Amino acid sequence: MQPKPACKTCFLTIIVWWWGFQERVSAADGDLNLLNSGCSQYNVTNFRDFGRNLNSTFVELREQLNGNRYFATAEEASGVYAMVQCRNYLSPADCLACFDAAVARIRNCSAANGARVIYDGCFLRYESNNFYDQNTQEGHTMICGNTSASEPSAFAATVQELLADLLVATPKINGYFAATKKEVVGDGNAGNATVYGVAQCIETITERGCRDCMQVVNTDIQRCPPNTDGRAMDVGCFLRYSDSPFFSDNQTIDITPFLRTPSSSSRRNGIIGGVVGGVALLLLIIALLVWFKRSATSKDSPIRAGDILGATELRGPINYKYKDLSSATKKFSPQNKLGEGGFGEVYKGVLKNQKIVAIKKLTITQSQRAKLDYESEVKLISNVHHRNLIRLLGCCNKGPELLLVYEYMKNSSLDKFLFGERRGSLNWKQRCDIILGTARGLSYLHEEFHVCIIHRDIKSSNILLDDDFQPKIADFGLARLLPQDKSHLSTKFAGTLGYTSPEYAIHGQLSEKTDVYSYGIVVLEIVSGQRSHDTTPDPDAFLLKRAWTLYQSNMHNQLVEESLDPNEYEVEEVKRMVEIGLMCTQSAAALRPSMSQVVVLLKSKGSMESRAITRPTIVDSAVEASTSTASSASLATLSITQISSR
Ligand SMILES: *[C@@H]1O[C@H](CO)[C@@H](O)[C@H](O)[C@H]1NC(C)=O
Ligand SMILES: *[C@@H]1O[C@H](CO)[C@@H](O)[C@H](O)[C@H]1NC(C)=O
Ligand SMILES: *[C@@H]1O[C@H](CO)[C@@H](O)[C@H](O)[C@H]1NC(C)=O
Ligand SMILES: *[C@@H]1O[C@H](CO)[C@@H](O)[C@H](O)[C@H]1NC(C)=O
Ligand SMILES: *[C@@H]1O[C@H](CO)[C@@H](O)[C@H](O)[C@H]1NC(C)=O
Ligand SMILES: *[C@@H]1O[C@H](CO)[C@@H](O)[C@H](O)[C@H]1NC(C)=O
């Protein structure tokens, strides 16, 4: 219950987000009466791509509404999540019109990574991370009408009854929507007023989530009676009452079956009635007990406590239930296994909301686990947002294993396209895009994110490709989860030896330049289609050595994968790529460029002749390697021997 220090900032951010940017119009009537709108204060780094993906989610949402639906979600793998909901009393045409107005308005937020618009008739929201399971957050708000009812106390009492009914019924109704009305029983002659009420939850939350949200908005809306109108909204639900009929009579839903009151017809038969009544009473008591217990525990779920509205960068990861992840992967069945990485097995999972995710089982012992500040590391990683980095959606720390839930990439990893079943299918342009995108992702991790994250395991199988063959780096930050482990040289290390810089492999000296080295190897692999650690009997055919030899004799273009059409690329371009690869793999870490310099080099078209490139270490087993020490050269030889004997 003790608020974490971070939460103060969170709360301030909410206020800024919600109150600083909103526009409000509460006077007008009709579905397009704007209740609230706001933009996240964070901009996406690349708006062109984000905007394109956002547009396609809007198209998907509209298609779903066009199919007479009133609730829809759509997402793009690159990190765009969008949701729309219409009040069910709207006609399908009015629902579409409301959606279109919301889209037009939400575009005002231009480059913001999240935004929402709430009208009387519908709401639209998008974020750069998944918010579908959010039901309530700080920043929930209400809007009260400014005229008082003519019979204030009678009106307020009727509103109370109506809201209490909606609160009980709505979470139980399929689709979480209820519309009902109640006559005001007054004593004056002022006429016979009616109160109309509507409640609605988003469909991606649970019944319990809907109930929790309803309680929050109900508390808010209590400030409105006896005024004739009241509306309250939170991220997961909406509640409204009015004395004017804002939906037609035939849209009223009979909610009596969902109310708790025991059936009065059971009085007819004394004995049966007694039994039924007793059972109902017992059930009621049990329900109340469960409810009390739940509402007591719901107050201190630690991860969600820091959640804030819209400002997604500071949001904590989702805490998944083990049993949900287990059923999403059919109990981690071998059919769902996607592969095995350096840190554990990866499974494909389909969550209850039909979202496809990749679930990684971390191989980590119980004692290691105990020592970890797991939660804060996961939180850190889940706040890394970049289109060239795989999103960590959440985690599960409760089951027998540590589970990490990631966005899912249909196109699998780069190594499949370079050396595997889809070998040779990437054209030159795609290769250049992958080289640049990977550099951008790494540059973000090293220099732009507020904590420098060194990946330590860059390799072609850790670079995933999205639908447009844009690269997304996987597994970053995971090394932070594993305790400093000196023995990893012998085990984990061996698998990716071909990518590891000599100073890290031999002396354990870790810096950003370790990643730069591995990146350079990946660049050479992308250009040549040759594995860095090919098991070849001819040491001269070893990728790095071959690249260096060709570079020295100015025959770079012979390194290009033969299957590529020579009309597709220019010799100069190939030369640049090979030189950048070699520049990154120079044996002295200090001579390697930083990743942001690599991005600049890749984007500039000029010649690189002014830059001298020194030779890489692993090329040669001889001690003549001028920039490296004798000991590292001989250990490098050892490394090569290990590779070729595997
Ligand atoms: C209520 O608010 C509307 C719009 O803000 C305004 O036009 C109207 O005069 C107000 N009525 C009262 C009684 O304050
Ligand atoms: C976000 O972008 C908009 C327009 O593109 C700009 O006005 C605003 O200042 C930017 N906000 C931040 C925090 O960079
Ligand atoms: C998205 O759609 C809007 C409206 O159709 C258009 O003006 C805008 O240029 C599109 N944005 C991108 C990035 O395609
Ligand atoms: C936002 O969008 C609305 C509706 O499209 C428009 O009327 C309004 O001028 C826009 N506001 C800004 C600040 O661009
Ligand atoms: C109640 O409403 C009906 C129909 O609008 C009207 O005929 C009747 O006079 C009203 N009763 C009172 C007491 O105002
Ligand atoms: C419901 O009532 C409205 C007007 O009160 C009418 O236009 C609409 O056709 C009715 N819908 C149905 C399904 O009866």
Side-chain angles (χ1 to χ4, degrees), residues 344-362:
E345 295 162 339
V346 186
Y347 294 84
K348 179 176 174 175
V350 182
L351 299 179
K352 273 194 221 143
N353 61 7
Q354 299 308 312
K355 187 183 168 57
I356 303 177
V357 293
I359 299 173
K360 185 180 275 277
K361 255 187 187 176
L362 274 196

Side-chain angles (χ1 to χ4, degrees), residues 150-328:
S150 47
E151 288 181 276
S153 56
F155 185 81
T158 311
V159 169
Q160 287 305 343
E161 287 168 27
L162 178 112
L163 294 177
D165 285 356
L166 284 175
L167 215 62
V168 172
T170 310
K172 295 186 204 158
I173 296 172
N174 199 9
Y176 300 143
F177 174 79
T180 189
K181 58 176 184 171
K182 237 186 172 77
E183 301 288 330
V184 178
V185 188
D187 43 15
N189 300 320
N192 37 20
T194 304
V195 186
Y196 298 82
V198 155
Q200 188 174 37
C201 289
I202 61 172
E203 292 179 20
T204 43
I205 56 179
T206 59
E207 181 179 332
R208 154 133 194 256
C210 178
R211 197 178 310 124
D212 289 350
C213 186
M214 279 290 148
Q215 259 150 17
V216 172
V217 290
N218 183 45
T219 310
D220 287 344
I221 211 171
Q222 289 304 325
R223 292 162 72 174
C224 294
N227 288 6
T228 54
D229 287 277
R231 301 167 175 90
M233 59 218 85
D234 200 343
V235 290
C237 63
F238 179 77
L239 185 60
R240 178 182 179 189
Y241 78 83
S242 174
D243 69 340
S244 51
F246 56 95
F247 52 90
S248 60
D249 264 357
N250 55 17
Q251 297 294 340
T252 309
I253 291 170
D254 179 16
I255 60 171
T256 44
F258 302 101
L259 301 176
R260 257 203 295 241
T261 40
S263 140
S264 57
S265 63
S266 60
R267 252 185 254 146
R268 221 180 289 155
N269 186 318
I271 298 169
I272 293 179
V275 171
V276 170
V279 169
L281 189 65
L282 195 65
L283 287 179
L284 188 65
I285 290 170
I286 292 171
L288 278 174
L289 281 176
V290 169
W291 182 77
F292 272 123
K293 190 163 171 269
R294 279 182 172 182
S295 49
T297 52
S298 74
K299 287 193 181 105
D300 52 22
S301 78
I303 294 240
R304 305 219 60 95
D307 277 0
I308 52 165
L309 199 58
T312 47
E313 263 78 353
L314 297 172
R315 213 165 69 84
I318 300 169
N319 243 344
Y320 290 93
K321 291 204 183 82
Y322 185 81
K323 100 174 147 23
D324 290 347
L325 296 184
S326 169
S327 69

